[in-house]
C-alpha cells in the first residue's frame, strides 16, 4: 500500500517559468492538502481539496498559484511565472473522507528551486 | 484562530540524556495537538497525537507528550536520546472539527544528538 506519492522530488525553474507539482494520495484517501515550507520555517497550509472540488484555499497566494484534484489522476499544484520567493518545499498530505487532521499522511515533498 | 510556539529552534543533548522539546499552543476551542518528525529530505512522520483522551500520550520511538491545559503546553519528551533521534520536530495544532482539517505548525526544533 503505497503512501502519498509526490513528484518531482526536486524541480529547478528559472524566474518566469511555470512549475507543476503532482500528488497522488494514499489508496482510499479522497482528501488532499498542500502545505509549503519556506527555508527555516514551519509548514504553512495552502489549500484543501476533494475530488473536483476546492474546499479551502485560504492559504493560497491570490496570484500565480492554483490547485486542482481532478476526478482521475493526481492533484496538481501549479505555480505560474515563478519568482525566487517561491523556492520552498511543497508537501502534500491526504486523508480519508471525513477523518480530519488526526489521520493525515504526508508525502516526502517536492523541493522547488527558482534560479 | 489557533497558533503554536516552539521554544528553541535548536536543541542539543548527549546520547542517553533526556530529550525535552517545548511546545505551547493557543486555541479558542479544545485543540487536537500533534508532534511530527522530519528527517533530512523526507516528509513528515507522525510521532504522536492528542485528541482529548488521555492527557499523557505515548508515541513511536519512545517519545511521549503531556497535554497541560492550565499551561497551554504539549511538550515532547524521551527519557534517553539515541543518535537516530537527530531530526527536525514540529508541533502542530488543529481544532479537529470535521471540515477543518488544517494543521497550524510551529517553526520547528532541530534536535542534535551529541555522541
Amino acid at each position: 500500500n503505497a503512501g502519498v506519492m509526490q513528484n518531482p522530488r526536486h524541480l529547478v525553474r528559472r524566474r518566469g517559468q511555470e512549475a507543476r507539482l503532482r500528488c497522488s494520495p494514499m489508496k482510499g484517501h479522497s482528501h488532499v492538502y498542500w502545505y509549503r515550507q519556506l527555508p527555516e520555517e514551519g509548514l504553512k497550509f495552502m489549500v484543501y481539496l476533494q475530488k473536483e472540488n476546492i474546499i479551502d484555499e485560504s492559504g493560497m497566494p491570490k496570484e500565480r498559484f492554483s490547485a486542482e484534484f481532478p476526478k482521475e489522476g493526481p492533484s496538481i499544484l501549479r505555480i505560474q511565472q515563478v519568482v525566487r520567493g517561491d523556492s520552498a518545499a511543497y508537501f502534500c498530505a491526504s486523508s480519508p473522507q471525513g477523518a480530519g487532521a488526526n489521520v493525515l499522511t504526508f508525502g516526502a515533498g517536492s523541493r522547488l528551486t527558482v534560479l | 484562530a489557533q497558533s503554536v510556539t516552539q521554544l528553541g529552534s535548536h536543541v542539543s543533548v548527549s546520547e542517553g540524556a533526556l530529550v525535552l522539546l517545548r511546545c505551547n499552543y493557543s486555541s479558542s476551542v479544545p485543540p487536537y495537538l500533534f508532534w511530527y518528525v522530519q528527517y533530512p529530505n523526507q516528509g513528515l512522520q507522525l510521532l504522536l497525537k492528542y485528541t482529548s483522551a488521555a492527557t499523557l500520550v505515548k508515541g513511536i520511538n519512545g517519545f511521549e507528550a503531556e497535554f497541560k491545559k492550565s499551561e497551554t503546553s504539549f511538550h515532547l519528551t524521551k527519557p534517553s536520546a539515541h543518535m537516530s533521534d537527530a531530526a527536525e520536530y514540529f508541533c502542530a495544532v488543529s481544532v479537529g472539527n470535521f471540515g477543518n482539517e488544517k494543521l497550524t505548525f510551529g517553526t520547528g526544533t532541530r534536535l542534535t544528538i551529541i555522541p
Side-chain angles (χ1 to χ4, degrees):
Chain A
N1 184 15
V4 177
M5 304 302 293
Q6 290 190 247
N7 67 83
R9 292 293 310 277
H10 301 275
L11 181 64
V12 179
R13 285 287 179 266
R14 296 190 180 279
R15 282 179 295 170
Q17 292 184 319
E18 178 179 287
R20 281 186 182 234
L21 309 177
R22 289 176 290 278
C23 170
S24 295
M26 278 189 71
K27 187 176 181 180
H29 286 192
S30 57
H31 294 202
V32 165
Y33 313 76
W34 285 94
Y35 286 80
R36 177 166 66 173
Q37 184 180 28
L38 294 169
E40 306 299 322
E41 294 188 17
L43 280 73
K44 297 282 197 306
F45 169 81
M46 298 182 75
V47 63
Y48 162 35
L49 311 104
Q50 296 175 18
K51 289 279 188 182
E52 300 183 286
N53 195 15
I54 296 175
I55 305 301
D56 183 342
E57 57 182 346
S58 58
M60 287 277 274
K62 299 299 181 193
E63 297 178 349
R64 302 186 298 106
F65 285 72
S66 62
E68 62 176 10
F69 189 15
K71 186 176 181 181
E72 300 292 337
S75 175
I76 307 284
L77 180 67
R78 182 184 179 203
I79 311 171
Q80 295 177 289
Q81 299 175 318
V82 296
V83 300
R84 289 219 173 106
D86 297 331
S87 294
Y90 292 83
F91 289 95
C92 173
S94 71
S95 72
Q97 183 170 355
N102 68 102
V103 289
L104 281 183
T105 301
F106 280 85
S110 292
R111 281 160 178 80
L112 172 66
T113 301
V114 179
L115 301 178
Chain B
Q2 60 268 25
S3 66
V4 168
T5 302
Q6 289 184 243
L7 297 175
S9 58
H10 292 85
V11 171
S12 296
V13 301
S14 297
E15 190 175 14
L18 171 72
V19 175
L20 171 61
L21 305 182
R22 299 178 186 275
C23 172
N24 288 88
Y25 70 91
S26 172
S27 176
S28 56
V29 297
Y32 287 5
L33 293 160
F34 307 82
W35 275 99
Y36 283 87
V37 60
Q38 184 181 29
Y39 297 100
N41 298 316
Q42 295 187 27
L44 275 72
Q45 180 181 0
L46 181 65
L47 272 179
L48 49 79
K49 60 187 179 187
Y50 166 76
T51 56
S52 75
T55 56
L56 181 62
V57 181
K58 294 187 183 300
I60 61 172
N61 302 338
F63 284 93
E64 62 182 37
E66 186 173 7
F67 172 70
K68 292 187 176 181
K69 185 178 178 181
S70 60
E71 298 177 8
T72 61
S73 69
F74 190 57
H75 302 330
L76 181 71
T77 60
K78 181 174 180 177
S80 177
H82 191 273
M83 295 300 293
S84 61
D85 294 328
E88 183 124 27
Y89 292 80
F90 293 95
C91 182
V93 63
S94 166
V95 296
N97 295 325
F98 171 67
N100 184 3
E101 284 83 355
K102 289 185 292 187
L103 285 171
T104 300
F105 284 87
T107 52
T109 298
R110 189 175 303 277
L111 177 65
T112 300
I113 309 299
I114 304 167

